[in-house]
Amino acid sequence: MGKVTGFLEIDRQELKYQPASDRVRHFKEFTLPLSRPEVERQAARCMDCGIPFCQTDTGCPVDNQIPDWNDLVYAGDWKRASENLHSTNNFPEFTGRICPAPCEEACVLNIENTPVAIKAIEQAIADRAWEEGWIKPQPPQAMTGKTVGIVGAGSAGMAAAQQLARVGHEVHVYERYQRAGGLLTYGIPDFKMEKGGVERRVAQMEAEGVVFHFGADVDAERLRALVEKHDAMLLTTGAERPRDPGLPGAELEGVHYAMPFLVQQNRRVARETFPDTPIVAAGKHVVVIGGGDTASDCIGTSIRQGALAVTQMDIRPMPPIRENKDLVWPYWPTKFRTSSSQAEGADREFAAATLEIVGKKGRATHVRCARVDAARKPLPGTEFDIRADLVLFAIGFAGPREETYVTAYEFERDRRTNIFANTEDYRTSVPKVYAAGDVRRGQSLVVWAIREGRQAARAIDLDLMGETTLPR
Ligand code: FAD
């Protein structure tokens, strides 16, 4: 344990943000890092609890050994802290930036006080490790002679590829887009995570022997050929099919799903060209329908593009400001949260259902809404209109895209249409083919995708070699 009385003496410090008026002028990251001495002080708050709930599945899907690296940071041994962190997480600079940090909710100090600033410490360790040149390629000592194909270069595919290459398999990653990262690169805005970090990891993985095939959209026929060619195939193609709002007026001009809007902006920042008609919020009244991360990303992007007004519609009632920790700890609580994007100036409507999109001459002009009861049914007589020339649906994802190999190959599915595989062996119903990440579990979090990629890599290594040194 770091400083025995640290949690009594030191207050929690979080990363500060550039003022909203400054950060909305650009698409770059806007957090201001803590100084190294301050990070060491924050690590000293860790109590090294008998049972570190932060580290269990409830707190950290990749089982980061949080008390151990807190102790190492407190002692000034950042290099060993980085080694420890990388032993459970391939990409801590990603999760240090965009993970919602269930570990902090599960922190024992959170019961009585404020949690250890685990996420800020994780980011600081990973960033310093890159700055100091401690992160190097780890090519295998010997090759196994086996080849593994992976479809999809998102968080799950990248984590699996790195693990498999390091134990000596020849790994080929087939990715539809021109760059790796999946939703990290094309969905999550640059102001939450700049993409240079993904490119840096791709370079590391290439030096470890991973071969990336970009611009490779794998259909059923190609998958059949790849299954023939490789000793094992892992599918990590995500869950991109948006939930259908089924609303009158959804066909009007100015009404879009969130993803094309976010993807276009990320491509603009990357100076990529795209053929689609531009969707832009500049000079518009924007209504974002949905209450999650994707909705927040639409808000921050709209504000940066120069929207006149942004309103967010959430069908759920406004949650309590504080959770009852006796009832919910160490689990992720429902409580009133304000994302950095919401804080930049969105109006938020709670307990509000969207009834229809209203338009004139084929273009959206308003969103018709109503308050809802506890069962989320619209209450008669509570209807109201919100001006909207751009409406963005961010109401979640229903499962994998259907018009790809997924349907043609006739995989067994779960009841939410995800490709079925268990979390022990990650095998699908098709021999030699495995599945992990969002395509298996449904739209989730980057940290879960990394966990599944690592675990699937272990399962594949075990099946190919009869034994494995990879961790679960
Ligand atoms: P993906 O990241 O979806 O990667 C799948 C990859 O497969 C893509 O690169 C895709 O191009 C490729 N692919 C698909 N089909 C084919 C094919 N047929 N052939 C070849 N390649 C193919 N999580 C967080 O932890 N924090 C956040 O802040 C956060 N914000 C989010 C914001 C948005 C807008 C969205 C949509 C999601 C967010 N998430 C967030 C969730 C997170 O991004 C996903 O859970 C995670 O990216 C899943 O990783 P994955 O590797 O399973 O799939």
Side-chain angles (χ1 to χ4, degrees):
M1 162 170 193
K3 188 172 188 189
V4 177
T5 52
F7 69 99
L8 295 171
E9 293 166 23
I10 302 165
D11 287 336
R12 174 182 160 102
Q13 296 290 326
E14 295 183 59
L15 295 192
K16 303 238 170 354
Y17 297 158
Q18 285 175 6
S21 55
D22 291 348
R23 66 181 191 248
V24 299
R25 292 167 199 273
H26 60 77
F27 281 89
K28 292 190 176 6
E29 287 178 15
F30 52 77
T31 51
L32 307 171
L34 299 174
S35 68
R36 281 185 193 153
E38 186 54 51
V39 176
E40 290 172 8
R41 275 165 50 79
Q42 290 302 308
R45 294 185 72 234
C46 179
M47 302 189 297
D48 193 12
C49 321
I51 300 172
F53 286 86
C54 59
Q55 182 181 327
T56 61
D57 274 7
T58 324
C60 183
V62 290
D63 305 326
N64 277 342
Q65 297 163 158
I66 295 164
D68 294 2
W69 42 257
N70 276 333
D71 188 31
L72 289 163
V73 168
Y74 169 65
D77 195 346
W78 290 65
K79 188 159 190 264
R80 275 181 61 212
S82 164
E83 286 159 9
N84 189 310
L85 178 54
H86 279 91
S87 73
T88 55
N89 185 351
N90 298 65
F91 313 121
E93 68 277 28
F94 303 167
T95 45
R97 283 175 168 74
I98 47 103
C99 191
C103 52
E104 294 191 5
E105 298 294 352
C107 175
V108 173
L109 199 47
N110 187 34
I111 304 175
E112 280 286 318
N113 198 305
T114 50
V116 175
I118 300 168
K119 181 172 158 174
I121 299 169
E122 179 183 31
Q123 181 181 340
I125 298 170
D127 287 354
R128 179 160 184 191
W130 278 108
E131 278 162 37
E132 303 273 359
W134 297 332
I135 299 176
K136 298 214 163 45
Q138 297 172 34
Q141 285 163 356
M143 296 304 287
T144 61
K146 307 278 185 193
T147 78
V148 182
I150 298 178
V151 188
S155 312
M158 286 178 68
Q162 186 162 62
Q163 295 294 92
L164 287 163
R166 285 179 176 176
V167 291
H169 301 302
E170 183 187 319
V171 179
H172 292 260
V173 181
Y174 303 90
E175 166 57 47
R176 182 183 54 175
Y177 285 140
Q178 292 306 327
R179 290 186 294 151
L183 289 175
L184 267 178
T185 296
Y186 286 99
I188 295 175
D190 285 70
F191 56 81
K192 270 167 64 178
M193 195 187 101
E194 289 172 24
K195 312 308 175 195
V198 178
E199 299 305 317
R200 201 165 50 179
R201 284 295 180 183
V202 168
Q204 181 197 30
M205 290 167 64
E206 284 176 336
E208 290 167 344
V210 177
V211 182
F212 286 91
H213 304 263
F214 292 114
D217 199 343
V218 174
D219 57 13
E221 199 183 325
R222 181 115 191 238
L223 184 57
R224 253 179 215 112
L226 291 174
V227 173
E228 281 287 303
K229 179 175 168 186
H230 293 292
D231 295 300
M233 279 304 296
L234 173 63
L235 306 173
T236 52
T237 48
E240 298 175 305
R241 195 173 80 250
R243 195 162 285 143
D244 182 358
L247 278 183
E251 73 295 344
L252 290 167
E253 209 181 307
V255 183
H256 300 274
Y257 284 117
M259 280 312 287
F261 173 69
L262 294 173
V263 172
Q264 284 190 6
Q265 183 53 47
N266 283 11
R267 290 191 141 156
R268 262 181 222 111
V269 173
R271 298 180 192 282
E272 273 184 38
T273 51
F274 50 88
D276 339 350
T277 311
I279 309 168
V280 273
K284 293 187 181 147
H285 289 81
V286 180
V287 173
V288 179
I289 297 168
D293 271 343
T294 307
S296 265
D297 293 346
C298 288
I299 293 169
T301 302
S302 298
I303 290 173
R304 278 164 184 72
Q305 288 186 353
L308 293 178
V310 183
T311 308
Q312 179 179 15
M313 311 288 300
D314 196 333
I315 197 165
R316 298 168 300 182
M318 189 170 147
I321 300 290
R322 267 191 206 85
E323 73 275 35
N324 182 344
K325 288 184 183 171
D326 288 344
L327 292 179
V328 294
W329 184 90
Y331 298 103
W332 182 258
T334 301
K335 65 177 171 187
F336 187 76
R337 298 171 196 267
T338 301
S339 70
S340 57
S341 292
Q342 289 163 332
E344 288 161 4
D347 291 325
R348 296 168 73 180
E349 294 281 351
F350 289 98
T354 309
L355 305 179
E356 66 175 309
I357 318 292
V358 184
K360 218 187 233 172
K361 295 187 184 159
R363 274 206 66 85
T365 56
H366 291 85
V367 174
R368 182 145 304 148
C369 318
R371 297 289 163 207
V372 293
D373 61 15
R376 299 186 183 176
K377 293 268 177 291
L379 291 165
T382 63
E383 294 81 6
F384 59 102
D385 284 356
I386 299 179
R387 187 169 167 190
D389 347 79
L390 176 61
V391 181
L392 298 168
F393 286 114
I395 53 173
F397 296 83
R401 276 193 308 151
E402 291 294 342
E403 68 281 15
T404 62
Y405 70 84
V406 173
T407 325
Y409 226 93
E410 294 184 352
F411 286 100
E412 185 183 341
R413 311 284 199 96
D414 69 14
R415 62 188 169 79
R416 293 183 304 153
T417 74
N418 302 309
I419 293 183
F420 180 77
N422 68 38
T423 54
E424 285 301 316
D425 59 30
Y426 287 88
R427 291 182 199 140
T428 68
S429 55
V430 176
K432 282 171 69 180
V433 182
Y434 302 74
D438 282 4
V439 75
R440 192 203 69 79
R441 64 181 291 118
Q443 184 78 221
S444 180
L445 292 174
V446 167
V447 68
W448 277 104
I450 295 174
R451 167 193 167 123
E452 293 215 350
R454 290 171 64 87
Q455 290 193 342
R458 182 181 193 278
I460 292 169
D461 189 39
L462 186 59
D463 282 354
L464 293 181
M465 307 303 293
E467 59 183 6
T468 181
T469 52
L470 288 173
R472 248 186 79 77

